[in-house]
Amino acid sequence: MSKNYTAHPMAFVHPEAKIGNNVQIGPFCVIGPNVTIGDDCIFHSNVVVDGHTTIGKGNKFFQFGSIGAPPQDNSYKGEPTETIIGDNNTFREYVSIHRGTLKQDKKTVIGSNSLFMAYCHIAHDCTLGNNLTFANSVNLAGHVNIGDRVIIGGNTGISQFVTLGRGAYIGGGAGIDRDVPNFCTAMGNRVKLKGINIIGLKRQGNSKEIVSEVVDFYRTMEASALSPRAFVSHPELMDEFKNNAIVQEIAAFIKKSEIGIAPFMAD
């Protein structure tokens, strides 16, 4: 039976790899034995896909990418951990993604419909949502969690165990060592909260009234003498925002944060 994909004569595809329909594999690519690739993916030249890696449909991998490589973690001893990638992502030049370790869920997970620009690195045990935009040279340490529709500026570094809530916007050159709540903007090294991602909220279809109330909540919390966790845990302070789902979502994020929220930026 003829194969259902095309591979350049100078590519190596292991015979045990599972390749979907209409996949294009360019010269000098290497596809390992435990790799599963969905339909309509494109691999430009010199892409290496290793380990127990599952890739969905319609992904594009540009040259010199490294997908599913062993983690840069001294505890890793060759265990069959995983890399899982969703659908319709674009991984530009030199993007590297490492498989999981035994320390968490044994897998690194990336969602769908995202753009990862050149030289981005996603370390072991990271969990990434959908519709993300990572500018050039965004580097994630291990165990980082990123919500949906997050935008991260170039040359940003994110420490282990950090969580960025959905809809967050991070300015370029940030050094992130604390959590950033949903729909907040942040920047700087070390990162500080700058305000609310108003454009992101509007793009999600939220009304002007809802967005204005979220901004009021943020400014009130920022001006308070209480910490963010204490503020959102105070019933009287939160009562006027009880009907705003976005505010409640931000409050839940702050309460759940284990490493703490990034501080507010001084005026």
Side-chain angles (χ1 to χ4, degrees):
M1 184 174 66
S2 62
K3 64 186 182 182
N4 50 5
Y5 63 92
T6 59
H8 191 278
M10 300 188 76
F12 173 77
V13 180
H14 196 283
E16 295 181 11
K18 299 178 177 63
I19 313 295
N21 296 316
N22 304 314
V23 172
Q24 302 175 39
I25 301 174
F28 307 108
C29 290
V30 178
I31 309 297
N34 298 306
V35 172
T36 299
I37 299 172
D39 297 344
D40 303 312
C41 289
I42 299 174
F43 297 82
H44 295 273
S45 65
N46 297 277
V47 179
V48 177
V49 187
D50 194 14
H52 290 76
T53 297
T54 301
I55 298 171
K57 300 177 181 180
N59 294 284
K60 298 177 182 179
F61 297 86
F62 282 74
Q63 45 268 44
F64 303 105
S66 176
I67 312 300
Q72 298 174 131
D73 187 296
N74 289 329
S75 71
Y76 182 75
K77 306 301 180 184
E79 298 88 358
T81 54
E82 297 180 77
T83 305
I84 300 173
I85 297 173
D87 304 328
N88 303 313
N89 298 290
T90 297
F91 302 92
R92 292 304 304 250
E93 298 83 354
Y94 293 96
V95 168
S96 55
I97 303 168
H98 289 176
R99 70 186 76 150
T101 68
L102 300 182
K103 293 180 177 180
Q104 195 167 305
D105 298 323
K106 304 180 184 178
K107 54 191 173 185
T108 299
V109 180
I110 297 173
S112 300
N113 306 309
S114 296
L115 170 61
F116 302 91
M117 299 185 196
Y119 292 95
C120 288
H121 174 66
I122 300 165
H124 60 88
D125 303 292
C126 288
T127 302
L128 278 58
N130 306 309
N131 301 104
L132 309 175
T133 300
F134 285 21
N136 299 292
S137 300
V138 170
N139 290 283
L140 275 58
H143 310 279
V144 170
N145 294 288
I146 309 290
D148 295 342
R149 299 185 181 278
V150 171
I151 299 174
I152 304 178
N155 297 298
T156 290
I158 304 180
S159 299
Q160 287 184 324
F161 302 105
V162 162
T163 297
L164 305 184
R166 78 177 185 102
Y169 180 92
I170 309 299
I176 305 177
D177 58 352
R178 292 290 184 270
D179 293 344
V180 176
N182 304 31
F183 291 106
C184 285
T185 63
M187 59 186 63
N189 187 359
R190 291 298 196 248
V191 74
K192 294 183 179 180
L193 300 180
K194 177 64 174 177
I196 291 295
N197 183 8
I198 295 173
I199 294 175
L201 282 169
K202 289 180 177 178
R203 286 176 176 172
Q204 292 295 295
N206 293 288
S207 68
K208 181 179 179 181
E209 291 74 21
I210 289 175
V211 174
S212 295
E213 194 170 46
V214 174
V215 172
D216 288 344
F217 158 76
Y218 177 91
R219 290 174 176 170
T220 304
M221 180 172 61
E222 180 182 25
S224 173
L226 299 173
S227 69
R229 187 186 300 273
F231 183 91
V232 300
S233 298
H234 200 296
E236 292 183 4
L237 296 175
M238 293 296 294
D239 185 65
E240 65 178 296
F241 307 109
K242 63 183 178 182
N243 295 320
N244 189 304
I246 300 297
V247 170
Q248 294 304 314
E249 187 178 325
I250 296 172
F253 181 99
I254 293 171
K255 290 177 182 178
K256 188 178 179 181
S257 174
E258 295 184 359
I259 67 172
I261 303 301
F264 295 109
M265 184 173 291
D267 293 332

